[in-house]
C-alpha cells in the first residue's frame, strides 16, 4: 500500500505530471522508486531507496537541492550566483 509521507514532497507515481518535488512507486523488497523533478527546467533525478530521506541524500550527493524545492545542479548553481 502506498502512503503519502509529506504532501509537498511525495506523491504516488501516477501523479508524475504534477509539480510536486518527488514521486514514488513501490519496488520489490520494500524499496521504492523516487523521482525528483527540477522546479525550473525539465531535468529529473531517479533513484531506488527505502525511504525519502535516503533518496534525498542520494540526490544531494549528485548535486541536487531538494529542500525546500527541487533544483537540478545547473539551476542550483544559477540560483546561487543570482543570490550573491
Amino acid at each position: 500500500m502506498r502512503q503519502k509521507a509529506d504532501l509537498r514532497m511525495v506523491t504516488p507515481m501516477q501523479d508524475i505530471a504534477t509539480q510536486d518535488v518527488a514521486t514514488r512507486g513501490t519496488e520489490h523488497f520494500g524499496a521504492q522508486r523516487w523521482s525528483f523533478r527540477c522546479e525550473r527546467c525539465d531535468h529529473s533525478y531517479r533513484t531506488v531507496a527505502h525511504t525519502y530521506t535516503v533518496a534525498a541524500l542520494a540526490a544531494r550527493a549528485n548535486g541536487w537541492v531538494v529542500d525546500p524545492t527541487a533544483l537540478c545542479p545547473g539551476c542550483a548553481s544559477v540560483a546561487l550566483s543570482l543570490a550573491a
Side-chain angles (χ1 to χ4, degrees):
M1 180 177 193
R2 295 181 184 160
Q3 296 177 340
K4 292 183 180 181
D6 181 357
L7 294 176
R8 181 179 56 90
M9 303 300 284
V10 181
T11 59
M13 198 60 145
Q14 60 264 25
D15 293 336
I16 199 163
T18 64
Q19 58 189 6
D20 295 316
V21 175
T23 58
R24 70 177 179 183
T26 305
E27 288 291 319
H28 296 289
F29 307 112
Q32 299 170 343
R33 295 173 298 180
W34 296 87
S35 178
F36 295 87
R37 299 183 75 194
C38 182
E39 298 262 331
R40 296 187 179 178
C41 68
D42 291 333
H43 287 122
S44 63
Y45 176 79
R46 295 182 184 122
T47 188
V48 175
H50 287 281
T51 64
Y52 170 79
T53 303
V54 174
L57 288 173
R60 287 185 191 118
N62 283 286
W64 281 73
V65 174
V66 295
D67 290 322
T69 60
L71 293 174
C72 71
C75 291
S77 64
V78 169
L80 182 63
S81 66
L82 291 176

